Amino acid sequence: MEAADEVRIRIGGDGDARALFGSMDGNLKILEDALGVGCVLRSDELIVTGKGAKNAGQVISDLLRIVERGDRLDKQKIEYVIGLHESGVSYGDSDIDRDIIAFTHKGKPIKAKTLGQAAYVKAIRGREVVFGIGPAGTGKTYLAVASAVRAFKNKDAEKIILARPAVEAGERLGFLPGDLQEKVDPYLRPLYDALYEIMGRDTTLRLKEKETIEVVPLAYMRGRTLDNAFIILDEAQNTTKEQMKMFLTRMGFGSRVVVTGDITQIDLPEGKTSGLVHAAKVLEKVKDIEFCYLQDGDVVRHSLVRKIIGAYEQYERRTAGKKSARQTGNRAGGP
């Protein structure tokens, strides 16, 4: 019989054990440090000891399910599964990583990695217009591009059109060297990077030559009507209200639109309202338009990115609180 502070978990085989433990038992070290337990493998059993053994056993069982599905564990995924359990949610009960959105040109499956991402991908499939709003590293653009490639390959879309505002971070095109294409290319590079990884550089460039794929500055969308296309507007927080309305009204029959952006990183001149922030207020109750809000927990880059985002949010809340207190004090002490 297991002691109250001991849990025994059967490991399927050497392959599962290696995948669970990680290189030089790195994954076990993460679990032990995060959950305050000790782990020892004896024969085909993993013995977990410590006050958090029961909780750790549930986390490890979830991680084993991930391994059995053929997915690789890394620090981000382990920390995410632990975080879910702390919120009372079991990763193993979800369908997060069972749905393959598309494959990269090297054959690697592209899947959602968090509950927020899974809801976002589901919305893209089920709605004609979807807004993906969230911080850097949550996969907003990449998953939208993967969904566009899937739609194109399944013949649900005849064209893929990717657009971005071409004025960001206080820079103006007129100050940059080169012709117009050379000026706008740096702004469009993240979209090219996603396409190259998913479709391959040669395929992307060939389809771009045929104008089956377009990667364009937002200004190029004016005056067009786009039928049977999968249209993505990236970095939408840097659109004006007028630009956002112009973009959304380009949608034609048989088209699907995804708008992505991070409302914490708006680079518009002071006094200009973000078209993304405005659209979220204007369109929130429009049927068949869905807003997906990704959170810090959906960040799938380096684990430090999540910590950096959290630190900035805490700082901004403190700063806003001090500013509010000063304004209240000024009003109270006024004539």
Side-chain angles (χ1 to χ4, degrees):
M1 182 177 293
E2 294 179 0
D5 58 354
E6 179 182 292
V7 171
R8 293 171 179 259
I9 302 166
R10 189 171 297 278
I11 306 293
D14 289 343
D16 286 353
R18 283 194 299 271
L20 175 65
F21 296 170
S23 176
M24 300 180 68
D25 293 348
N27 293 345
L28 279 190
K29 180 66 175 169
I30 294 170
L31 287 166
E32 288 175 337
D33 290 346
L35 300 171
V37 296
C39 299
V40 177
L41 182 65
R42 289 183 183 162
S43 184
D44 61 349
E45 277 190 329
L46 181 66
I47 302 172
V48 184
T49 57
K51 289 184 179 179
K54 183 177 179 181
N55 181 45
Q58 293 170 344
V59 170
I60 291 169
S61 294
D62 264 3
L63 295 176
L64 279 170
R65 289 192 188 100
I66 294 170
V67 167
E68 288 163 2
R69 293 175 192 170
D71 284 342
R72 188 178 68 86
L73 294 179
D74 53 27
K75 185 179 180 182
Q76 183 274 331
K77 184 161 285 187
I78 292 169
E79 289 178 345
Y80 183 69
V81 172
I82 292 171
L84 283 182
H85 272 272
E86 290 173 351
S87 304
V89 179
S90 171
Y91 188 100
D93 293 338
S94 71
D95 292 326
I96 293 175
D97 58 2
R98 297 179 189 179
D99 180 23
I100 297 175
I101 304 164
F103 290 89
T104 68
H105 74 287
K106 293 182 178 179
K108 180 183 175 182
I110 300 170
K111 305 177 182 180
K113 295 182 178 180
T114 69
L115 289 171
Q117 287 190 352
Y120 176 49
V121 171
K122 183 179 179 182
I124 291 173
R125 287 189 187 165
R127 301 288 186 183
E128 292 180 311
V129 179
V130 173
F131 287 76
I133 301 172
T138 50
K140 304 181 299 292
T141 303
Y142 189 77
L143 292 174
V145 173
S147 298
V149 171
R150 176 191 176 110
F152 177 73
K153 289 186 174 179
N154 288 345
K155 302 190 184 305
D156 294 329
E158 295 175 1
K159 296 184 71 170
I160 297 174
I161 300 173
L162 312 178
R164 255 189 170 209
V167 179
E168 300 172 47
E171 295 178 347
R172 302 291 178 182
L173 294 180
F175 298 145
L176 298 175
D179 60 22
L180 182 59
Q181 192 61 48
E182 290 171 328
K183 289 180 179 185
V184 301
D185 268 354
Y187 296 104
L188 305 176
R189 178 55 53 188
L191 298 174
Y192 281 116
D193 288 344
L195 282 170
Y196 290 164
E197 181 173 342
I198 298 169
M199 300 191 83
R201 183 184 177 88
D202 291 344
T203 301
T204 299
L205 293 178
R206 187 173 67 253
L207 292 173
K208 187 171 180 290
E209 232 176 78
K210 295 178 178 179
E211 297 188 348
T212 303
I213 290 179
E214 293 184 46
V215 184
V216 297
L218 177 59
Y220 284 29
M221 304 289 285
R222 191 172 297 277
R224 302 179 65 184
T225 300
L226 304 167
D227 294 329
N228 304 311
F230 198 114
I231 312 160
I232 299 171
L233 174 60
D234 192 35
E235 295 291 332
Q237 75 275 7
N238 290 325
T239 63
T240 63
K241 293 186 293 184
E242 296 77 14
Q243 287 173 328
M244 178 61 77
K245 182 180 177 182
M246 178 274 292
F247 171 79
L248 292 173
T249 53
R250 300 307 93 202
M251 181 182 182
F253 293 107
S255 288
R256 194 170 295 269
V257 171
V258 180
V259 178
T260 72
D262 177 1
I263 57 176
T264 69
Q265 295 191 35
I266 298 171
D267 299 317
L268 291 170
E270 194 170 345
K272 282 279 187 182
T273 300
S274 165
L276 180 58
V277 173
H278 184 254
K281 295 174 182 176
V282 173
L283 304 175
E284 63 177 343
K285 294 182 179 178
V286 176
K287 189 178 178 182
D288 295 326
I289 294 179
E290 187 160 347
F291 287 83
C292 296
Y293 292 91
L294 297 159
Q295 309 296 332
D296 295 357
D298 297 304
V299 173
V300 293
R301 290 181 186 167
H302 194 288
S303 58
L304 271 176
V305 173
R306 191 183 303 113
K307 294 176 183 177
I308 289 167
I309 292 168
Y312 269 96
E313 287 181 347
Q314 288 178 18
Y315 174 80
E316 286 161 6
R317 281 196 294 269
R318 289 197 306 270
T319 304
K322 289 176 182 177
K323 183 178 179 182
S324 176
R326 283 198 303 270
Q327 289 172 342
T328 301
N330 290 341
R331 286 196 296 271

